[in-house]
Amino acid sequence: MEMANEEPKTVPQQITMKGGDGPLSYAKNSSLQKGVVDATKGIIIHAIANNLDMDKFCSQSSSQTFRIADFGCSIGPNTIFSMQNIIQALEQKHHETNHGNSSTILEFQLFFNDHSTNDFNTLFKSLPPSWPYFVAGVPGSFYGRLFPKSSIHIGHSSNALQWLSKVPQEVVDFKSPAYNDGSIYCRGIEKEVTKAYVAQFEKDMESFLNGRGEELVNGGLMVILMGGVPNGIPLSHTAIGKFYDLFGSCLLDLTNKGLVNEEKVKSFNLPLYFPSAKEVEELIERNGRFSIESMNEITEQLKRGQPLPSTQNCISHVRAGFEGLIKDHFGTEIVDEFFACYANKHLQSGFVFGDNAVDNTLMFMILKRI
């Protein structure tokens, strides 16, 4: 009896960066993300100074412990730098509030959250020796609840919320009008494909905001950095879109060589969506749990403060970020071949984050729990 072909199914994905501390690890290939941390340090200090009621929280807690959570922390060391920046901002705010006369010593409890498959061991090994803070890892998806009600004072998430909880089912169903034929990402051009990705992003963001809305104390702050696109510009016209086109062409090359099954390629889509600032603002306002204290696009500040990465640096960053996705979908046997193909194409094209393409945006948001 002949079995009918089953439609590809999409399931929630535990996407993590390459673990360990070797030369191809995320820990050794995340300097671009470190540039984001450095570029936003002053903004975070200013935002906490202007938006956090330190007296309110200190008077509510006899222990005067501040609990800070990083959602989507990855492996490090960038999450550690981010936490240090927030702590510096809180200590500075506390000193200024009390005019340097307070005898109170603040204590900090830090929570590092990511999927259970994240390499927490490498993260904790990279903590500074004798760090004077209380630290814990919290495995689980940030698209669900992770902490008790009203237990977190400041939440932080950097370069994580563009990752969806799953690929929309419709885009891998060849019978669906949203079937994403010939592409591995949401280009922002095909109406039905875009509609499916938008629906998944809205569902995920609603879950994220609802979870954090339960967990943050009233008046607590949520600091968010996430990639996006300029209003009205499709992702395919941006630097990141050009990169995904190059990335996808490597899969076609391996298919033509007979190294990858064509059906496997057709069912591969990146669980990523890059929204515009307008989309994000509307979602936050519709959710109603947070007020938007500030929302800025900081692309130009980031470009001024960070030199262009070298070609080899770009290639290593790509492998550290995407090796897990390739391995999970296609198997370990093609990983080296795939990234060798990508490196060759990258070198041949002189590709450095999209010449002749529109810059993607980096959105910086301060939300307050209301």
Side-chain angles (χ1 to χ4, degrees):
M1 180 177 177
E2 187 174 317
M3 298 291 291
N5 290 331
E6 292 187 2
E7 297 296 333
K9 301 294 183 183
T10 63
V11 296
Q13 296 173 270
Q14 293 197 22
I15 299 162
T16 54
M17 304 297 103
K18 185 172 177 62
D21 59 359
L24 295 177
S25 68
Y26 181 81
K28 293 291 174 61
N29 293 283
S30 53
S31 60
L32 293 174
Q33 292 85 346
K34 173 62 163 55
V36 174
V37 175
D38 292 341
T40 55
K41 179 178 179 179
I43 305 174
I44 288 176
I45 292 174
H46 179 76
I48 288 177
N50 287 342
N51 296 291
L52 190 72
D53 186 348
M54 184 68 75
D55 287 337
K56 174 183 177 182
F57 294 133
C58 285
S59 63
Q60 286 180 344
S61 174
S62 59
S63 66
Q64 301 185 357
T65 298
F66 273 82
R67 290 175 291 277
I68 310 166
D70 190 13
F71 298 94
C73 64
S74 194
I75 299 159
N78 293 329
T79 182
I80 298 170
F81 296 138
S82 296
M83 289 293 205
Q84 288 175 323
N85 291 344
I86 292 172
I87 289 170
Q88 179 182 336
L90 287 169
E91 289 179 330
Q92 183 173 317
K93 170 74 171 179
H94 181 62
H95 180 81
E96 292 172 353
T97 300
N98 293 280
H99 307 290
N101 298 319
S102 175
S103 60
T104 304
I105 299 175
L106 298 180
E107 293 187 309
F108 298 97
Q109 187 172 20
L110 313 179
F111 298 100
F112 295 95
N113 158 253
D114 214 311
H115 289 295
S116 59
T117 51
N118 186 57
D119 186 1
F120 285 101
N121 286 335
T122 295
L123 169 59
F124 290 132
K125 286 177 183 176
S126 65
L127 291 174
S130 303
W131 221 27
Y133 313 121
F134 302 96
V135 177
V138 182
S141 170
F142 53 55
Y143 290 126
R145 281 285 301 277
L146 294 163
F147 299 99
K149 186 177 178 66
S150 300
S151 61
I152 302 296
H153 294 92
I154 296 183
H156 175 270
S157 182
S158 179
N159 290 306
L161 285 172
Q162 61 264 26
W163 289 97
L164 303 176
S165 64
K166 58 176 287 189
V167 171
Q169 179 63 43
E170 304 95 311
V171 304
V172 299
D173 179 0
F174 69 88
K175 296 179 182 178
S176 167
Y179 178 54
N180 196 19
D181 190 20
S183 182
I184 64 167
Y185 71 102
C186 178
R187 298 176 353 121
I189 295 175
E190 296 81 9
K191 181 179 178 181
E192 294 300 324
V193 173
T194 303
K195 183 178 177 182
Y197 268 94
V198 168
Q200 186 64 51
F201 175 72
E202 291 181 348
K203 179 180 178 182
D204 286 345
M205 275 296 293
E206 181 75 6
S207 297
F208 180 85
L209 293 170
N210 285 340
R212 306 301 78 78
E214 291 292 321
E215 296 161 354
L216 263 68
V217 299
N218 185 39
L221 299 182
M222 187 70 219
V223 181
I224 297 176
L225 292 99
M226 67 182 300
V229 294
N231 290 326
I233 302 295
L235 184 62
S236 61
H237 292 179
T238 69
I240 290 178
K242 302 298 183 185
F243 157 64
Y244 291 153
D245 287 334
L246 189 68
F247 198 80
S249 71
C250 297
L251 292 173
L252 295 180
D253 286 358
L254 267 59
T255 302
N256 293 334
K257 291 181 179 180
L259 299 176
V260 178
N261 182 282
E262 185 178 359
E263 293 305 313
K264 274 282 191 182
V265 175
K266 288 184 176 180
S267 64
F268 180 72
N269 279 259
L270 296 173
L272 285 157
Y273 181 75
F274 290 81
S276 67
K278 182 180 178 182
E279 288 177 273
V280 176
E281 183 177 4
E282 289 176 352
L283 284 172
I284 295 168
E285 290 177 347
R286 187 192 313 164
N287 177 266
R289 290 175 176 263
F290 294 88
S291 62
I292 302 174
E293 299 301 304
S294 65
M295 187 171 186
N296 302 294
E297 295 180 4
I298 60 170
T299 310
E300 290 304 317
Q301 295 96 309
L302 185 62
K303 287 170 65 178
R304 287 197 299 268
Q306 184 166 303
L308 285 174
S310 68
T311 299
Q312 188 55 53
N313 192 242
C314 286
I315 293 169
S316 298
H317 275 65
V318 168
R319 180 156 187 168
F322 288 91
E323 179 176 313
L325 276 173
I326 295 297
K327 186 183 296 184
D328 289 346
H329 192 85
F330 297 101
T332 57
E333 59 275 6
I334 75 142
V335 169
D336 288 339
E337 184 76 23
F338 175 84
F339 286 103
C341 177
Y342 173 78
N344 185 52
K345 282 178 175 280
H346 189 118
L347 289 167
Q348 287 182 348
S349 66
F351 182 90
V352 182
F353 289 95
D355 290 339
N356 302 317
V358 177
D359 284 333
N360 288 81
T361 60
L362 182 66
M363 291 177 277
F364 178 89
M365 292 165 270
I366 297 289
L367 311 182
K368 180 180 283 189
R369 178 69 174 95
I370 55 177

